[in-house]
Amino acid sequence: DKDRVQQERDCLESETVDLRQALASIRSTLTSSSEEVAAIILERDNFAKLNDDLTSEIGSSMNELASAKEKIDQFSQGLEENSMKIRTLESELCTVEEKNAVISEERDRVQQERDGLESE
């Protein structure tokens, strides 16, 4: 009976040692896994911050592009207005040149008439 009790005690002690070793291994694995999870969470947070920064930069760039487009549109409109003014001035210049030609012709005619009257 004593031998059987001793064998059972030895067996239980052996199983206890095995269980303690298994528990220590599990704790080590859990610690290692927890560290890995913490590293993954940190990396995820870093990526999230980077994503937020990039999103903000993209938004800022889009605003700058919109502002630049507005300035280009205003400049284009100014160019078109200037082109219309130039065409108007060119037309007015042609009109003035035509009037000058008529006046010159009239002056020449009057001068010829004077010259004719003076010679008489």
Side-chain angles (χ1 to χ4, degrees):
D1 237 8
K2 264 184 166 182
D3 284 344
R4 192 176 58 81
V5 168
Q6 187 61 41
Q7 282 178 347
E8 283 183 27
R9 182 178 286 168
D10 291 346
C11 183
L12 287 175
E13 284 177 5
S14 175
E15 285 179 9
T16 300
V17 168
D18 290 346
L19 287 173
R20 283 187 179 148
Q21 288 174 346
L23 182 59
S25 175
I26 289 170
R27 282 185 180 148
S28 174
T29 301
L30 282 175
T31 300
S32 177
S33 294
S34 294
E35 290 169 356
E36 288 176 15
V37 168
I40 289 169
I41 289 171
L42 181 62
E43 193 172 331
R44 181 204 62 195
D45 291 346
N46 288 340
F47 277 122
K49 184 184 180 321
L50 179 62
N51 186 46
D52 290 346
D53 291 347
L54 289 174
T55 299
S56 176
E57 247 183 82
I58 289 169
S60 183
S61 294
M62 294 298 284
N63 289 338
E64 288 176 17
L65 284 173
S67 176
K69 183 188 179 309
E70 185 177 326
K71 288 177 183 176
I72 289 170
D73 289 347
Q74 289 172 353
F75 183 74
S76 294
Q77 183 178 355
L79 284 177
E80 183 60 33
E81 289 172 2
N82 286 344
S83 293
M84 287 174 34
K85 288 177 184 177
I86 288 170
R87 285 191 292 275
T88 300
L89 289 172
E90 286 173 341
S91 174
E92 289 175 3
L93 180 61
C94 285
T95 302
V96 167
E97 288 173 344
E98 288 170 2
K99 287 180 180 178
N100 278 344
V102 168
I103 289 171
S104 287
E105 288 173 9
E106 185 64 22
R107 188 177 6 165
D108 291 346
R109 188 188 60 76
V110 167
Q111 186 62 43
Q112 286 175 359
E113 283 180 13
R114 257 191 215 151
D115 291 346
L117 290 174
E118 286 177 0
S119 63
E120 286 178 16

